[in-house]
Amino acid sequence: MESRTGYAVGGTAHAEPVSVPELLARSRTLCTPPLRAAVARLAAPMDTVAAYHFGWIDRDGTPVTGDGGKAVRPALALLSARATGAAAEVGVPGGVAVELVHNFSLLHDDLMDGDETRRHRATAWTVFGPAQAILVGDALATLGTEVLLDAAVTGGASATDAARAVRLLTTATRRLIDGQAMDVAFEQRDSVTVAECLEMEGGKTAALLAAASAIGAVLAGADDKVSDSLQRYGHHLGLAFQAVDDLLGIWGATEVTGKPHWGDLRQRKKSLPVAAALAEGGAASRRLAEELADPKGRGEESEPELAARAALIEEAGGRAWTREEARRQHTTALAALDEVPMTDEVREHFVALAEFVVVRER
Amino acid sequence: MESRTGYAVGGTAHAEPVSVPELLARSRTLCTPPLRAAVARLAAPMDTVAAYHFGWIDRDGTPVTGDGGKAVRPALALLSARATGAAAEVGVPGGVAVELVHNFSLLHDDLMDGDETRRHRATAWTVFGPAQAILVGDALATLGTEVLLDAAVTGGASATDAARAVRLLTTATRRLIDGQAMDVAFEQRDSVTVAECLEMEGGKTAALLAAASAIGAVLAGADDKVSDSLQRYGHHLGLAFQAVDDLLGIWGATEVTGKPHWGDLRQRKKSLPVAAALAEGGAASRRLAEELADPKGRGEESEPELAARAALIEEAGGRAWTREEARRQHTTALAALDEVPMTDEVREHFVALAEFVVVRER
């Protein structure tokens, strides 16, 4: 955790704590206008559907200042450009492109998973129908590539670096799809191994965060060694994020009641705490395996039954293991930063974003 | 029609008629192995779903020698490489990439349109579920870009030309999606104009045929002028193809009965003959408009009612106009070939493929 110590000690021109909300706001200021311009290129009514999904308008078309997500990925993209000494602006096409691909996957995943709300709003497929969710997702993925190729036209990047960025994003997109495919397949199974779960999360969550953490650097002409190290930072950050997300999926409190909602348990989701608990093999672990293999009562478990199941997972060590896993991945992410020469300020920002992503309460 | 006359007159080393089935078979020989290798990269079970969709295995996984489509697009891609004087092999990544994008669109369109059969087999979404159809479609689109970028790695194309090919394919993919979005939107309307219909078909059908007709040339390093002319050939060929398809959609005979099946009329599809008939404005045209605006009996029309509606379209000139439109687009496509210097043999092949695409009976 050298980097984090360095961050705490300070001693640079930027000794005051990094404000992550400010970092994210600055990144949104740079990326949102070109993101909206890209989305505006879509033929009607896809532009409207996309604008609704991004939280820019409500279902009647009225502009809203909604919650379009934290936009961590664009912030990482801009930061990765600055890691090479370039201006944040050089990373903007990368930030826009990863945000487009991220939202392509949200649109399709919500439909596949049958999720009816996202960011406290009705999901696009429930409002505009499945066909629009499929089409707009397809269009956003394609726009991502276009935006990167445009970077070479508008002069922000060389044609070679733009093509390298396309390769980076395309590979990440395929891993993302592989991860979602594994997740969908897991639904039909009673148990998965920890290795399978990590592979799924490495695709579904970590692949795009890895690409986001290097794409600005690639557009700025960074060599493969720098790109690889930054991708490693993003990959392990993604796995840390997902481990925390899996913990919150079981023990996270709802905003309304302040009590755990056991959401992932209700859906019998094969997340890390469950996989780790199943791997442990003791009495609680075996009991958990029996319960998950029992088709009876699926989806109709009472609150006390879910609480008892969460206790079983905890007893079998699933909660502690996942907490430790998040810590390990976070540490490995920060260590990857040490392989890349960058200013203390940029390093502090990477460290602060990692902290922000990993330390969450819901 | 200079090119066709030239073809008919012959006088070159290749005076014997071009065998289109042989052309298509040769192209499949070159493109199918790399296509299968690309699909094999997909994570399970997506590789199986894709192999089923392409007609390589049946639903139990048994290998079959099925009907994977005529593969006209790959043949055009190889031919476009040869138009520049390069070997057909240089166009192979382009042929594979357009075939991947074409099949991405089929997988998603079949799901969106609720179509249950394609090429005489159950569509992938009916066999493997909607989630797999969405995921595999997404993956195939992404693979298309990967295959083109790989062309620079394996040495078949320069990095610059591979990036140009990615741009060509990406733009076409977005137009394809725009066209499908228009088609979906048309379903909610009682009528569309001829201009709207042509715009929709320009996206849904012509955009990818345009890209296919130039992508091999781009990989071989052709300049933009050559690429533009070849794209124009493919664009107008696509519009001619679609006009013929629209005629067959109403008056085409089924294989079983030999009688018209009025398929597009059953679905109240807004195809070119209907749009042209509605634009005419005479008595038959007005009667047709009234019938299409009447929600009563929608989807429950009897055979005689459908035959009467087809007669109305014909009376309002929709059939004749569309036939003439197919002829115009075919002529314009062939004229675009004259702008590109190429051997007589390659030109004859382009002409023969155009003839094959436009002259069909079902």
Side-chain angles (χ1 to χ4, degrees):
Chain A
M1 308 264 278
E2 294 92 335
S3 307
R4 297 181 72 197
T5 312
Y7 162 58
V9 170
T12 72
H14 300 272
E16 70 271 27
V18 181
S19 158
V20 169
E22 200 186 308
L23 251 182
L24 295 174
R26 254 186 273 161
S27 139
R28 282 196 299 267
T29 302
L30 285 175
C31 290
T32 303
L35 180 63
R36 293 185 78 140
V39 166
R41 279 193 231 163
L42 300 181
M46 293 190 290
D47 52 349
T48 304
V49 177
Y52 172 85
H53 168 77
F54 277 105
W56 301 331
I57 58 172
D58 65 19
R59 65 171 77 200
D60 308 316
T62 315
V64 289
T65 45
D67 171 16
K70 296 179 289 292
V72 169
R73 291 166 193 78
L76 287 169
L78 304 199
L79 209 46
S80 76
R82 294 191 59 210
T84 69
E89 281 76 3
V90 176
V92 166
V96 172
V98 292
E99 201 64 357
L100 287 165
V101 168
H102 176 53
N103 283 283
F104 135 73
S105 80
L106 296 182
L107 278 163
H108 282 191
D109 290 2
D110 284 344
L111 174 60
M112 281 184 259
D113 301 341
D115 289 337
E116 294 181 1
T117 58
R118 161 164 313 274
R119 299 168 190 156
H120 311 291
R121 303 166 79 219
T123 45
W125 72 268
T126 66
V127 177
F128 301 98
Q132 287 300 327
I134 295 173
L135 281 168
V136 175
D138 292 346
L140 294 187
T142 314
L143 267 185
T145 303
E146 275 184 47
V147 164
L148 289 178
L149 293 170
D150 285 346
V153 178
T154 56
S158 74
T160 311
D161 292 331
R164 289 172 64 216
V166 171
R167 161 75 75 173
L168 179 67
L169 187 65
T170 304
T171 306
T173 304
R174 241 191 3 99
R175 287 198 188 129
L176 178 69
I177 297 165
D178 285 353
Q180 171 68 3
M182 287 186 79
D183 202 18
V184 167
F186 287 177
E187 274 173 35
Q188 311 300 322
R189 294 168 52 179
D190 295 326
S191 72
V192 301
T193 67
V194 169
E196 286 172 328
C197 192
L198 286 173
E199 192 189 338
M200 182 272 283
E201 298 186 344
K204 192 167 170 170
T205 308
L208 195 58
L209 274 164
S213 302
I215 200 164
V218 167
L219 287 170
D223 62 26
D224 285 347
K225 196 179 159 296
V226 166
S227 168
D228 289 349
S229 298
L230 291 174
Q231 283 182 64
R232 206 148 42 237
Y233 159 86
H235 172 77
H236 292 289
L237 182 61
L239 288 175
F241 168 86
Q242 191 56 55
V244 172
D245 212 56
D246 284 355
L247 288 167
L248 293 171
I250 298 177
W251 293 280
T254 69
E255 270 172 76
V256 181
T257 66
K259 288 184 191 161
H261 53 73
W262 322 118
D264 284 0
L265 293 186
R266 259 181 237 285
Q267 294 176 43
R268 298 207 185 184
K269 221 174 137 182
K270 281 82 185 179
S271 64
L272 264 189
V274 177
L278 289 173
E280 192 253 359
S285 173
R286 290 195 304 272
R287 176 75 195 284
L288 178 67
E290 277 163 31
E291 282 193 14
L292 292 177
D294 186 357
K296 217 176 55 188
R298 189 181 286 267
E300 287 163 17
E301 291 92 344
S302 65
E303 288 282 321
E305 280 169 332
L306 294 171
R309 188 166 300 166
L312 272 186
I313 295 169
E314 190 155 2
E315 200 184 323
R319 189 177 193 176
W321 187 89
T322 307
R323 271 191 189 137
E324 193 46 44
E325 172 70 6
R327 229 169 273 134
R328 273 192 301 267
Q329 297 292 352
H330 185 202
T331 306
T332 312
L334 297 184
L337 289 178
D338 293 335
E339 300 160 13
V340 183
M342 60 180 91
T343 66
D344 286 351
E345 187 196 357
V346 171
R347 192 177 307 275
E348 283 164 22
H349 289 182
F350 271 124
V351 171
L353 277 175
E355 186 85 16
F356 173 77
V357 160
V358 170
V359 180
R360 292 172 304 146
E361 275 165 22
R362 60 172 65 95
Chain B
M1 306 267 277
E2 294 92 336
S3 306
R4 296 183 74 198
T5 312
Y7 163 59
V9 169
T12 72
H14 301 273
E16 70 271 29
V18 181
S19 158
V20 169
E22 198 186 310
L23 251 182
L24 295 174
R26 255 187 272 161
S27 140
R28 282 196 300 267
T29 302
L30 283 175
C31 290
T32 303
L35 180 63
R36 295 186 77 140
V39 166
R41 280 193 233 162
L42 299 181
M46 293 189 291
D47 52 348
T48 304
V49 177
Y52 171 85
H53 168 76
F54 277 105
W56 302 330
I57 57 173
D58 65 18
R59 66 170 77 203
D60 308 316
T62 315
V64 288
T65 45
D67 172 15
K70 296 178 289 293
V72 170
R73 290 165 193 79
L76 288 168
L78 304 199
L79 208 47
S80 77
R82 293 190 59 208
T84 69
E89 282 77 1
V90 175
V92 166
V96 173
V98 292
E99 199 64 358
L100 287 166
V101 168
H102 176 53
N103 283 282
F104 136 74
S105 81
L106 296 182
L107 278 163
H108 282 192
D109 289 3
D110 284 343
L111 173 61
M112 282 183 258
D113 301 342
D115 289 336
E116 295 181 1
T117 56
R118 162 163 313 274
R119 298 167 190 156
H120 310 291
R121 302 166 79 219
T123 45
W125 73 269
T126 66
V127 178
F128 301 98
Q132 288 301 328
I134 295 173
L135 281 168
V136 175
D138 292 345
L140 294 186
T142 313
L143 267 185
T145 303
E146 275 183 48
V147 164
L148 289 178
L149 292 171
D150 285 346
V153 177
T154 55
S158 74
T160 310
D161 292 331
R164 290 171 65 216
V166 171
R167 162 75 76 174
L168 178 67
L169 187 65
T170 303
T171 306
T173 304
R174 244 195 358 101
R175 287 200 188 127
L176 179 68
I177 297 165
D178 284 355
Q180 171 68 4
M182 288 185 80
D183 201 19
V184 167
F186 287 176
E187 275 173 34
Q188 312 300 320
R189 294 168 52 179
D190 295 327
S191 72
V192 301
T193 66
V194 169
E196 286 173 325
C197 192
L198 286 173
E199 192 190 337
M200 183 273 282
E201 298 186 343
K204 193 167 169 170
T205 308
L208 195 58
L209 274 164
S213 303
I215 200 164
V218 167
L219 287 170
D223 63 25
D224 284 348
K225 198 181 157 294
V226 166
S227 167
D228 289 349
S229 297
L230 290 174
Q231 283 181 65
R232 206 149 41 238
Y233 159 85
H235 172 78
H236 292 288
L237 182 61
L239 288 175
F241 168 85
Q242 191 58 55
V244 173
D245 211 58
D246 284 356
L247 288 168
L248 293 172
I250 298 177
W251 292 280
T254 68
E255 270 172 76
V256 182
T257 65
K259 288 184 192 160
H261 54 74
W262 321 116
D264 284 0
L265 293 185
R266 259 180 237 284
Q267 295 176 43
R268 297 207 185 185
K269 223 175 136 180
K270 282 82 187 179
S271 64
L272 265 188
V274 177
L278 289 172
E280 192 252 359
S285 173
R286 289 195 305 273
R287 174 76 196 280
L288 178 67
E290 277 164 31
E291 282 193 14
L292 292 177
D294 187 357
K296 218 177 57 194
R298 186 181 288 267
E300 287 164 15
E301 291 92 344
S302 65
E303 289 282 321
E305 280 169 333
L306 293 171
R309 187 165 301 164
L312 272 185
I313 295 170
E314 191 155 1
E315 200 183 325
R319 188 176 195 177
W321 187 91
T322 306
R323 270 190 190 138
E324 192 47 43
E325 172 69 6
R327 230 170 271 135
R328 274 192 301 268
Q329 296 292 354
H330 184 202
T331 307
T332 312
L334 297 183
L337 289 179
D338 293 335
E339 299 160 14
V340 183
M342 59 181 90
T343 65
D344 285 351
E345 186 195 359
V346 171
R347 193 178 308 274
E348 284 165 21
H349 289 183
F350 272 122
V351 171
L353 277 175
E355 186 86 15
F356 173 77
V357 161
V358 170
V359 181
R360 293 172 303 146
E361 274 165 24
R362 64 171 65 92

